[in-house]
Amino acid sequence: MAESWDAFISELHQLIADPAAAEFLNTEQLADSLGRIGTEPRPELAFDFNYRILMRGLIFYRFIKKQT
């Protein structure tokens, strides 16, 4: 994940700004979680609640983007 961290963060910013995602996801919570995980990848994030919320949100976001 370390090698893809910048792309991961960038895609999360796109998700949070997308009005289509806001119809289904709590983008305020996602923005808060994004702020809490920080800017650098760390191994312990794999077990972090905020990181898991972001990953699940991103998976769902990719799914709804494919459907449109």
Side-chain angles (χ1 to χ4, degrees), residues 1-47:
M1 190 69 190
E3 294 174 7
S4 304
W5 191 257
D6 291 337
F8 171 65
I9 298 298
S10 176
E11 193 170 3
L12 287 170
H13 283 288
Q14 290 174 12
L15 180 166
I16 291 166
D18 192 332
E23 290 184 42
F24 301 101
L25 300 170
N26 182 344
T27 53
E28 288 180 25
Q29 174 61 56
L30 292 168
D32 181 61
S33 291
L34 183 55
R36 290 175 186 265
I37 67 165
T39 58
E40 298 296 321
R42 299 181 316 272
E44 62 271 13
L45 286 176
F47 305 104

